[in-house]
């Protein structure tokens, strides 16, 4: 299985900050990486697919980059609604694997 | 409006069985890849099983031979039949609708829409 290592596990930030979350794959996944936002008791929400393609309706404050084994999710001008858990997902096959998640909390 | 609503979770003893349901609305389960993903307490997400549009089924090694994924087009519902449950199967189970993300050679199974999950607890 392809292992996804996500960091940091927790991130403290303030409204208006720019934050970056990283995912590293144990082998190349080209650009087949998605980012999700999850809030307690809610369904995960797809933010970005194919490493950098923003899903329709998602704020342009979210952006993704990377290819191969190194990927980043950047949130600029952090808003109160952005405090949540974010996780990456490599989907090179049905048996895709996930990062452990990053909880973005209010500083 | 597209919606996925899971149900059927609960407390079950080790070795027991349970069937989870995922009722879909706003689309037809038969025309999309559908998957189950779980999240054990304090752990990350883990893919469990998928059903593709050709009828193909796929299972994680940890559930192969014990779990079975199926769908009922008339009920527009996805199921996960779980047998011989183990304590390590304790998790929040999500169903998800997929979308093929395609390049010029093949399509990759992107998980697009998720339900809120149903909790399965395996304990004596």
């Amino acid at each position: 299985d392809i292992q996804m290592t996500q960091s940091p596990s927790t991130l403290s930030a303030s409204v208006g900050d720019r934050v970056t979350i990283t995912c590293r794959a144990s082998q190349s996944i080209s650009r087949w990486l998605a980012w999700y936002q999850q809030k307690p008791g809610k369904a995960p929400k797809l933010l970005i697919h194919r490493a950098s393609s923003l899903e329709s309706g998602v704020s342009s404050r979210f952006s993704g980059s990377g290819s191969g084994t190194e990927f980043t999710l950047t949130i600029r001008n952090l808003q109160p609604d952005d405090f949540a858990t974010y996780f990456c997902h490599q989907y090179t096959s049905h048996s895709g694997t996930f990062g452990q998640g990053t909880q973005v909390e209010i500083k | 409006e597209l919606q996925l609503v899971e149900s059927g979770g609960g407390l079950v003893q080790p070795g027991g069985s349970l069937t989870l349901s995922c009722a879909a609305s706003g689309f037809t389960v038969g025309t999309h890849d559908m998957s189950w993903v779980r999240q054990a307490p304090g752990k990350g997400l883990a893919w469990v099983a998928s059903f593709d549009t050709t009828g193909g089924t796929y299972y994680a090694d940890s559930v192969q031979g014990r779990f079975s994924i199926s769908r009922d087009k008339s009920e527009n519902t996805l199921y996960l039949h779980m047998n011989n449950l183990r304590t390590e199967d304790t998790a929040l189970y999500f169903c998800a609708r997929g979308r093929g993300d395609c390049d010029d050679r093949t399509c990759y199974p992107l998980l697009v829409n998720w339900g809120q999950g149903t909790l399965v607890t395996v304990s004596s």
Side-chain angles (χ1 to χ4, degrees):
Chain A
D1 285 357
I2 298 173
Q3 305 302 314
M4 302 301 295
T5 304
Q6 186 173 340
S7 62
S9 56
T10 307
L11 191 160
S12 296
S14 302
V15 172
D17 282 356
R18 178 178 181 271
V19 300
T20 298
I21 299 167
T22 298
C23 249
R24 179 179 292 116
S26 60
Q27 65 189 70
S28 177
I29 57 170
S30 185
R31 295 177 58 82
W32 307 111
L33 184 103
W35 291 97
Y36 298 85
Q37 177 192 68
Q38 186 180 21
K39 296 181 179 179
K42 301 286 191 179
K45 175 185 176 182
L46 177 63
L47 301 174
I48 287 170
H49 71 277
R50 210 181 290 199
S52 61
S53 296
L54 201 65
E55 277 295 292
S56 176
V58 174
S59 171
S60 58
R61 296 182 297 99
F62 292 89
S63 63
S65 65
S67 66
T69 61
E70 296 278 341
F71 301 86
T72 59
L73 172 70
T74 299
I75 313 171
R76 58 178 178 82
N77 188 21
L78 202 65
Q79 294 299 297
D81 191 51
D82 300 336
F83 292 95
T85 298
Y86 295 85
F87 57 91
C88 60
H89 174 225
Q90 68 82 10
Y91 55 101
T92 55
S93 70
H94 283 289
S95 57
T97 47
F98 297 84
Q100 286 295 100
T102 296
Q103 184 175 359
V104 177
E105 58 183 31
I106 300 173
K107 184 185 289 185
Chain B
E1 180 190 0
L2 192 152
Q3 197 171 15
L4 294 164
V5 179
E6 302 94 335
S7 61
L11 175 64
V12 61
Q13 291 190 337
S17 299
L18 208 57
T19 293
L20 306 183
S21 302
C22 172
S25 56
F27 73 101
T28 304
V29 296
T31 59
H32 290 80
D33 287 0
M34 298 293 298
S35 296
W36 288 96
V37 177
R38 67 186 180 183
Q39 187 171 32
K43 303 281 189 177
L45 292 156
W47 169 76
V48 174
S50 293
F51 204 127
D52 70 19
T53 55
T54 70
T57 56
Y58 310 84
Y59 298 95
D61 289 345
S62 59
V63 307
Q64 180 77 47
R66 300 188 300 123
F67 290 13
S68 174
I69 189 171
S70 68
R71 63 189 176 195
D72 185 325
K73 294 180 183 179
S74 64
E75 296 290 326
N76 208 29
T77 298
L78 180 75
Y79 298 98
L80 185 67
H81 309 278
M82 305 185 294
N83 296 313
N84 191 20
L85 281 160
R86 305 167 179 168
T87 54
E88 56 264 36
D89 295 319
T90 293
L92 184 63
Y93 284 74
F94 298 95
C95 70
R97 183 184 83 149
R99 181 179 80 211
D101 190 7
C102 307
D103 62 13
D104 56 1
R105 286 176 293 178
T106 192
C107 293
Y108 297 86
L110 174 67
L111 301 177
V112 181
N113 307 102
W114 299 55
Q116 295 187 357
T118 185
L119 182 63
V120 173
T121 303
V122 184
S123 175
S124 55

